[in-house]
Amino acid sequence: MNPTISIAVILTVLQAVHCQKIRDLSACLLGTSLRVDCHYENKTANPLTYEFSMFRENRKRVIQSTLSVAENSLKVRSNVTLSKNLVCLQLHNFENTDEGTYICELKITGDLTGNQVKNITVLKDKLEKCAGISLLIQNTSWLLLLLLSLPLLQAVGIRRPHRPAEPHRPNVALCKRRRRTI
């Protein structure tokens, strides 16, 4: 077998075997809502399924899911948003009774590695407030592009607007001196 073909087959198999991985799971308080961010890596365009659940007092409660049925009392207080490499849960009206271990479980169709699972312990008194800039941090490529393009924009003549010059006012003292010498 041709070595080039062998390497291509091995790389294809490795990509299929390891299509996704949860990189990070974090929680913060956004007003009165709990926000849980599940960052993941995905190397395919296959559909993603997810489950957010909490474990408290030896009982698992499903909050939002495309894998199983969610508990209605939690489902009506929550929503999930999906963006590139991020699944974000918001649980509204977060109370002390909602404390526990929060679990993010992801499955990508056709992924041979099975479900990826990560958990985080959430205590209301220990939660940090969500940073206002966290949305910018999630995808900073546009910000980097803007910063890198500023010198180029200035070089082609796009500069910040400048104020019009103030109307010329003659110096009264200078005018008085000229009159005396005449």
Side-chain angles (χ1 to χ4, degrees), residues 31 36 70 93 153 159:
V36 180
N93 302 320
L153 291 173
R159 299 181 190 272

Side-chain angles (χ1 to χ4, degrees), residues 79-141:
N79 65 299
V80 170
T81 53
L82 300 166
S83 60
K84 186 177 182 187
N85 297 333
L86 174 67
V87 183
C88 179
L89 168 77
Q90 279 197 359
L91 180 62
H92 306 288
N93 302 320
F94 182 69
E95 299 291 332
N96 289 345
T97 56
D98 297 321
E99 292 180 339
T101 301
Y102 281 73
I103 303 156
C104 173
E105 183 175 349
L106 302 180
K107 170 75 176 153
I108 293 182
T109 306
D111 188 355
L112 303 177
T113 59
N115 295 9
Q116 293 288 309
V117 180
K118 239 187 193 185
N119 62 56
I120 186 170
T121 301
V122 174
L123 301 172
K124 189 172 183 181
D125 295 339
K126 305 270 188 211
L127 278 175
E128 292 184 16
K129 300 234 183 259
C130 296
I133 196 148
S134 65
L135 293 175
L136 297 175
I137 293 170
Q138 292 173 11
N139 188 0
T140 57
S141 59

Side-chain angles (χ1 to χ4, degrees), residues 138-157:
Q138 292 173 11
N139 188 0
T140 57
S141 59
W142 68 269
L143 185 60
L144 180 62
L145 181 63
L146 177 67
L147 290 173
L148 291 174
S149 64
L150 284 177
L152 178 63
L153 291 173
Q154 288 178 343
V156 295

Side-chain angles (χ1 to χ4, degrees), residues 37-74:
D37 290 347
C38 189
H39 294 271
Y40 66 96
E41 293 176 10
N42 184 7
K43 296 182 175 93
T44 71
N46 295 345
L48 172 77
T49 54
Y50 62 86
E51 178 174 289
F52 278 101
S53 56
M54 70 174 290
F55 194 78
R56 180 183 168 109
E57 297 172 352
N58 295 323
R59 181 173 166 235
K60 179 181 176 181
R61 300 173 67 196
V62 178
I63 303 167
Q64 287 277 344
S65 180
T66 57
L67 294 169
S68 63
V69 178
E71 189 174 308
N72 196 46
S73 64
L74 291 170

